[in-house]
Amino acid sequence: MSQSKPAGRFIDAAIGLLHRVRDEEAERIAAAGGLIADAVTGGGRIFVFGAGHSSLPAQDVVYRAGGLALMNLLPVPGVVGVDVVPATLGSALEGVEGLATAVLETGPLRTGDLLFIISLSGRNTLPVEMATGARERGATVVGVTSVAYAAETTPRNASGSFLKDHCDLVLDSKIAVGDAELTAEGVGAPFAPASTVVTSALMQAVVAAGVEELVARGVRPPLLRSGNVDGGHEWNRQVMAEYGDRIFYRR
């Protein structure tokens, strides 16, 4: 396929962003992996949250083959995914004050836990309130966002700040404001967003760094195997039995 065609140009753009994340975020990815290892060895629980399309990279690290069994989705009704009807309601809920507080007050997050908050822009009320509230409750917060938004847009929350301002560690996805990699003559708007591809890869890199750090500490990482390979279900039952008090996606 010619590189001048949109499909090839998009893949090239995504690869370029992945290279930037690999090279420019390496130290912070390793640090996030260390926080995962701290949580696993210290009895903490690990949660991941994202709203709208930012929920896709969050869901990608929860209950999947090759992933850590301790990764739990922190759900917010009507926000995690794009299946709410109308879909625009999810965007509106991101601006509702008190929603994140209600989730934290009634949910399982506690002191010593680790929370990844994924928000491309980091400018809306929900991720900012989630980060501040989680830290007030003694959790460690890792923000996964595009730092460019803090430089090129204005906040849309009462604090006048961004997600990156309320985290113990920030991972920058390098996505440009607007989340669209391509333009073309005769097309009225930029198109081909890459945030899901890049942020999902970033989260998987963090998990890989956590696995590496656990091995370095002499701890067997609590990984899940595919249920579609022989012995996979048996392996997973053993892992879940050992860490069952820190897994929230099963009954």
Side-chain angles (χ1 to χ4, degrees), residues 36-51:
I36 286 179
D38 290 343
V40 172
T41 59
R45 292 91 59 83
I46 307 172
F47 296 92
V48 191
F49 167 75

Side-chain angles (χ1 to χ4, degrees), residues 25-36 38 169 209:
E25 297 298 300
E27 290 186 8
R28 285 174 286 276
I29 289 171
L35 292 175
I36 286 179
D38 290 343
L169 178 66

Side-chain angles (χ1 to χ4, degrees), residues 78-131:
V79 169
V80 180
V82 291
D83 57 342
V84 62
V85 178
T88 51
L89 175 60
S91 297
L93 290 174
E94 291 188 60
V96 174
E97 293 186 15
L99 180 56
T101 300
V103 169
L104 292 171
E105 287 179 346
T106 58
L109 193 78
R110 68 185 183 190
T111 298
D113 289 347
L114 175 61
L115 173 62
F116 289 87
I117 299 177
I118 302 172
S119 174
L120 178 60
S121 72
R123 69 195 297 231
N124 293 309
T125 297
L126 184 56
V128 170
E129 187 179 279
M130 185 74 75

Side-chain angles (χ1 to χ4, degrees), residues 57-211:
Q59 294 178 59
D60 192 51
V61 293
V62 175
Y63 184 54
R64 66 166 303 149
L68 284 171
L70 273 63
M71 304 295 284
N72 300 281
L73 193 67
L74 186 66
V76 177
V79 169
V80 180
V82 291
D83 57 342
V84 62
V85 178
T88 51
L89 175 60
S91 297
L93 290 174
E94 291 188 60
V96 174
E97 293 186 15
L99 180 56
T101 300
V103 169
L104 292 171
E105 287 179 346
T106 58
L109 193 78
R110 68 185 183 190
T111 298
D113 289 347
L114 175 61
L115 173 62
F116 289 87
I117 299 177
I118 302 172
S119 174
L120 178 60
S121 72
R123 69 195 297 231
N124 293 309
T125 297
L126 184 56
V128 170
E129 187 179 279
M130 185 74 75
T132 57
R135 293 179 82 190
E136 287 170 357
R137 287 162 175 78
T140 298
V141 174
V142 177
V144 185
T145 187
S146 170
V147 173
Y149 276 82
E152 300 178 35
T153 70
T154 56
R156 286 199 301 217
N157 62 86
S159 73
S161 58
F162 288 83
L163 170 62
K164 74 175 188 64
D165 302 318
H166 304 282
C167 300
D168 297 284
L169 178 66
V170 175
L171 300 174
D172 184 3
S173 64
K174 315 297 180 182
I175 300 296
V177 172
D179 190 18
E181 295 300 316
L182 302 183
T183 58
E185 186 176 351
V187 180
F191 59 101
S195 61
T196 302
V197 173
V198 175
T199 308
S200 294
L202 179 52
M203 287 301 301
Q204 291 295 347
V206 167
V207 172
V211 169

